[in-house]
Amino acid sequence: MVRVIAIGLLFGLGAVSRVHAQSPLYGQCGGTGWTGATTCVAGATCTYSNPYYSQCLPGAASGTTATTTNPTTTTSSGSTPTSAAKLSHVGVNIAGFDFGCGTDGTCTTSMATSPLNHDGAAQMQHFVNDDGFNTFRLPVGWQFLTGNSQSGTLNQANFNQYNSLVSACLATGASCIVDIHNYARYNGAIIGQGGPSNAVFASLWSSLAAKFASQPKVIFGIMNEPHDVPDINAWATSVQAAVTAIRNAGATSQIILLPGNNWTSAQTFVSNGSGAALLKVTNPDGSTTNLVFDVHKYLDSDNSGTNAECVTNNIQSSWQPLAQWLRTNKRQAFNTETGGGNTASCIQYLCQQIAYQAQNADVFLGYVGWSAGSFDPTTYVLSEVPTRSGSGWTDTSLVKSCVAPSSGSQSGSTGM
């Protein structure tokens, strides 16, 4: 929902003073490339966080302006990143078909719940029409797609259910990420390293890509959050098998997301060797066109994405060094899972993270919040499920303040 900033017309001695636009509570009020309001509404002060972001936080009178200077940011090679840019993909996860899947790659398929049974189609229409989102990630378990067969052969009835969700997503005009949510495993065994062979994994992706080859807005998310994978180079070989299968199935131009180790952590993507290994993955013609690195980053104390409170914006630890590495290697990344509780701390830190990513939109495609879909909005701590209010919808506080493009959280937006 778009937040409207009140603009006062002040009259004095018969003369009209100039109009002052102010940032709302928790809105951005400064930072490298920022062109919006630099004063805050009553009860908030413009507080410096880092060179990329100042924010209106509770605790001061109206009209407070950031007094710190924001130096021009340069990369390690001396070039200046894109500022005041718009991220190309901003969205929400629509969960449900992944329910019952554990981090060991086991999936109880009877627990899978179609988001379409929970107003999923209407949720997506609202997110696009009212909030300005343009991307949805649609997690699904491998076992659900194949009817508990460790193979690449789709179970037609189950696939039809999942495909109905993809079709509802595409009907909104948004990009739709087909995400296999198995943590690089099938029933506890790692793909290509004691579990399903690379050929079986490639067969799964060949089957899926053939179904969506004619859909330019389908994005292929090869695997959700690989972790504790012992051989990162062997994992890159598994990823290569999937990429080759997707392209050979006729999906020659769509984006493919390449996931690294350690839960696809943005912070350790380079240090754990994922970056170097995945740089070698190519399209069949040897190019890397539309091969984008898949990264995740939560903002809570243990980086688990299970706590309501956030403690960091991840800029210094994760996004700044990753941006420099991506620029050096002329590549891009996509943050397909991030989020937090509907709390003031998460509003503060997530807004800062989003603003930084937008200011570096030359290397970051965007972000996808976790999560809407089939979750119970009253009990799930990270819920982004909107609440139907008559013929309209009410978003969670985190979505309204940060996640939604209409919130103005991206750098360069005035928030008005």
Side-chain angles (χ1 to χ4, degrees):
M1 308 263 307
V2 178
R3 295 180 295 175
V4 180
I5 309 301
I7 300 177
L9 297 177
L10 305 180
F11 295 88
L13 300 177
V16 181
S17 70
R18 68 182 182 273
V19 176
H20 296 273
Q22 294 179 317
S23 287
L25 183 64
Y26 300 118
Q28 187 173 0
C29 54
T32 302
W34 176 250
T35 59
T38 56
T39 61
C40 301
V41 295
T45 182
C46 190
T47 304
Y48 175 83
S49 177
N50 56 64
Y52 315 102
Y53 196 89
S54 294
Q55 184 179 36
C56 293
L57 299 178
S62 174
T64 306
T65 305
T67 57
T68 54
T69 58
N70 295 308
T72 299
T73 304
T74 58
T75 68
S76 57
S77 61
S79 60
T80 303
T82 301
S83 63
K86 288 291 185 182
L87 295 165
S88 62
H89 291 77
V90 178
V92 181
N93 279 266
I94 305 296
F97 280 117
D98 56 312
F99 286 7
C101 290
T103 58
D104 61 352
T106 58
C107 292
T108 304
T109 56
S110 61
M111 295 178 66
T113 304
S114 173
L116 297 181
N117 296 332
H118 298 268
D119 277 342
Q123 284 185 43
M124 290 187 286
Q125 289 286 351
H126 155 69
F127 282 135
V128 170
N129 297 334
D130 300 332
D131 292 336
F133 288 107
N134 65 4
T135 304
F136 298 106
R137 184 169 178 255
L138 312 175
V140 62
W142 183 344
Q143 287 90 332
F144 182 82
L145 288 173
T146 60
N148 289 309
S149 170
Q150 185 177 299
S151 72
T153 302
L154 300 176
N155 177 284
Q156 197 59 51
N158 287 1
F159 172 75
N160 287 345
Q161 291 185 58
Y162 180 70
N163 189 43
S164 293
L165 178 63
V166 178
S167 297
C169 175
L170 291 171
T172 69
S175 294
C176 308
I177 303 173
V178 174
D179 161 55
I180 304 299
H181 216 75
N182 277 70
Y183 306 90
R185 291 159 168 78
Y186 189 102
N187 291 348
I190 297 173
I191 298 165
Q193 300 181 53
S197 68
N198 290 343
V200 170
F201 187 45
S203 175
L204 173 67
W205 272 113
S206 180
S207 297
L208 287 170
K211 298 290 188 181
F212 302 120
S214 63
Q215 298 291 346
K217 289 196 172 183
V218 166
I219 297 172
F220 299 106
I222 284 179
M223 181 57 59
N224 176 69
E225 295 189 347
H227 66 89
D228 300 293
V229 175
D231 188 335
I232 189 59
N233 290 301
W235 170 244
T237 300
S238 300
V239 172
Q240 178 67 73
V243 168
T244 300
I246 291 169
R247 296 302 191 216
N248 287 343
T252 57
S253 61
Q254 292 95 327
I255 293 171
I256 302 177
L257 302 176
L258 315 182
N261 207 352
N262 193 28
W263 314 91
T264 60
S265 169
Q267 183 171 349
T268 62
F269 183 80
V270 176
S271 63
N272 69 21
S274 295
L278 293 174
L279 278 173
K280 301 172 186 176
V281 175
T282 67
N283 293 310
D285 63 2
S287 73
T288 57
T289 303
N290 283 334
L291 300 184
V292 174
F293 299 123
D294 194 0
V295 294
H296 293 176
K297 201 74 179 79
Y298 285 95
L299 302 89
D300 50 356
S301 58
D302 61 0
N303 194 43
S304 65
T306 60
N307 302 294
E309 297 294 336
C310 297
V311 300
T312 178
N313 59 26
N314 295 309
I315 293 171
Q316 298 296 327
S317 66
S318 305
W319 300 116
Q320 186 177 47
L322 181 57
Q324 292 174 346
W325 183 87
L326 289 166
R327 244 176 236 114
T328 297
N329 289 281
K330 297 180 173 58
R331 298 296 293 273
Q332 293 180 311
F334 192 171
N335 182 17
T336 61
E337 249 192 60
T338 191
N342 291 288
T343 59
S345 64
C346 290
I347 290 172
Q348 173 187 349
Y349 289 120
L350 186 57
C351 280
Q352 293 170 1
Q353 176 176 287
I354 288 170
Y356 178 81
Q357 290 176 333
Q359 289 168 347
N360 291 270
D362 60 318
V363 291
F364 297 127
L365 263 64
Y367 60 89
V368 186
W370 185 272
S371 174
S374 299
F375 281 108
D376 182 347
T378 64
T379 60
Y380 182 52
V381 69
L382 302 190
S383 174
E384 294 182 359
V385 178
T387 303
R388 188 184 286 274
S389 305
S391 60
W393 293 85
T394 300
D395 283 313
T396 67
S397 60
L398 189 67
V399 170
K400 285 190 291 188
S401 300
C402 283
V403 184
S406 61
S407 70
S409 58
Q410 291 193 41
S411 172
S413 169
T414 65
M416 294 194 299

